Amino acid sequence: CSGGGGPDVRASASPNSVVAGDQTLEGPAKAYAEFQSTLKNAKSLSEVLPFLAEEQAREVKQMAQPDSLLPALKALTPTNLKVIGQELRGDKAVLQLTGDLEGSPSSGSATMIMEGGKWKLLSEAWSDAPEASPSPSARSPSPRASSSRRACSS
C-alpha cells in the first residue's frame, strides 16, 4: 500500500496500542510509533538510540553534545500522527505519514530497515503539503533548518 489507501495507524501514548481500525499492528508502523512515543518522552537522546538504524545511532554517538539536539527533534515531531500507507521491500519499509507539524497539516515518509530482527528508523522527511509526498532527501541529525531528518530521529 503505497500512498493514500493504507491503514490509519495512530501513534498513541502507549507504544503497544498502535491500531488500524480494530486491529493491533506489528512491524514497521508499530516500531515507528514506538520511536515517536519514546522521543516525545525522552530526557536524553540515548533513550531513542535503540530505535535508530545502526548508521544513524553511530552518528549520534559521535556528536560532541547529542542531547543538545533533543529539544529541536521534539519540536519537529508531528502531532496527530497517522501512518496512512506502508510499502514493504525486503528488509526495508517505507511508511507514508500525515500529521500536524508546527501547527500545520503535513505529510511525510519514514524509511524503516530491519536490523538484528527489529525494525529501526533509517530516515524521515516531512513536507508542509498535506497530501503530497515529501522529497526523498534526508539529512544527518544536526541543528535543523528544515523538517527533513535522518534517523535521529531520522
Side-chain angles (χ1 to χ4, degrees):
C1 15
S2 124
D8 177 0
V9 180
R10 296 180 189 264
S12 65
S14 169
N16 293 324
S17 62
V18 179
V19 296
D22 57 358
Q23 291 184 310
T24 300
L25 293 184
E26 299 296 325
K30 181 177 179 180
Y32 180 75
E34 290 172 348
F35 160 76
Q36 288 292 345
S37 178
T38 299
L39 176 61
K40 178 181 175 183
N41 298 306
K43 305 271 189 269
S44 167
L45 213 46
S46 64
E47 295 174 52
V48 300
L49 291 180
F51 296 94
L52 304 183
E54 184 178 319
E55 175 185 336
Q56 283 67 35
R58 186 173 35 251
E59 288 178 23
V60 171
K61 289 176 187 176
Q62 292 174 352
M63 295 174 69
Q65 296 180 344
D67 286 337
S68 65
L69 193 62
L70 192 57
L73 291 175
K74 286 183 175 191
L76 290 173
T77 297
T79 57
N80 301 317
L81 179 66
K82 296 178 190 174
V83 177
I84 59 170
Q86 174 175 283
E87 182 180 339
L88 293 173
R89 299 181 207 150
D91 66 348
K92 286 190 178 179
V94 177
L95 306 176
Q96 296 302 317
L97 312 165
T98 62
D100 295 328
L101 195 57
E102 297 177 336
S104 298
S106 300
S107 64
S109 67
T111 301
M112 307 293 288
I113 188 167
M114 180 66 76
E115 287 184 347
K118 295 182 180 185
W119 287 104
K120 299 196 176 194
L121 183 62
L122 181 63
S123 65
E124 180 178 18
W126 286 90
S127 167
D128 58 3
E131 294 301 321
S133 289
S135 75
S137 66
R139 53 192 206 79
S140 301
S142 63
R144 304 197 135 100
S146 76
S147 58
S148 181
R149 61 186 180 184
R150 290 256 289 168
C152 160
S153 247
S154 199

